Amino acid sequence: MVFFLASLNELLEISINVQKGIKGKIGELEEYFVQCKADVVAVQEAGLHAASSKVVARGYQQFCHTQGDVCFFVARYLVPFVVPLKTPHAGQMWIKITATGGDRPLYIGNVHMPQESDSVDVRTTAWEELRQSTSEYAELGEVAILGDLNARPGTPRTGDERDMLGNFGEHNGRTGNGKLLVDLLLDQGLTSLIGQEKPPSDEGRSTPFWYTRHDVASNVRHAIDDALVLSLIH
């Protein structure tokens, strides 16, 4: 999915691509880049755990978390404006894109949040670190968070939640990570983009929401990958 953010002087296209182990899939990855014409691609579950695990994609430079499994591919024309930021958590990585003409910089977070089955301590620690990073960077510029949140916030329960989650997210029950996500949205003034627009009804989608995972065995669809942006730039 591709999202457009008017943060620099021109529109910046940001996309999410989730593939397990991208080594050996460079052709598919490059084809994806060409199709969506993305400037920045955030990848989770990339199968790249070290700085030496570089993947070369034509027209893009890779920025990889040295301790984790998340990485960015940035269009080469944009690379001179990109500053990788230190992030202690293995499942979270941030880059800063400097702006021209006096505009505020854009801070982009690429996250792979813990599973619902992980311990409460692991999950709350990861979400608190994400909250702290978001709060820090929101003081300095615009913020966008992309990635695998492993969170299902369920049906909005208040007007504020509906504004931030939209009308077209995955409804029903709220999971533990879903609660942590809603708390982050409300605390930081973020908007979840996946539920803001009605999905197409002519593709045999069979769900009223934008799903990002389809368990073929159980034929269950979930929306657990998302893009979060400051309400100011939505």
Side-chain angles (χ1 to χ4, degrees), residues 4-24:
F4 302 86
L5 299 179
S7 180
L8 304 181
N9 288 338
E10 297 179 351
L11 286 179
L12 182 67
E13 302 179 19
I14 299 179
S15 65
I16 297 176
N17 182 36
V18 179
Q19 293 194 40
K20 292 186 177 180
I22 58 175
K23 278 193 169 183

Side-chain angles (χ1 to χ4, degrees), residues 30-47:
E30 290 178 338
E31 182 179 354
Y32 173 81
F33 291 169
V34 170
Q35 288 177 351
C36 70
K37 299 179 181 179
D39 296 308
V40 178
V41 180
V43 183
Q44 306 84 43
E45 299 182 87

Side-chain angles (χ1 to χ4, degrees), residues 87-107:
T87 311
H89 196 281
Q92 301 175 27
M93 180 180 181
W94 288 83
I95 60 174
K96 170 186 174 182
I97 301 181
T98 58
T100 59
D103 291 335
R104 283 156 57 89
L106 172 62
Y107 293 83

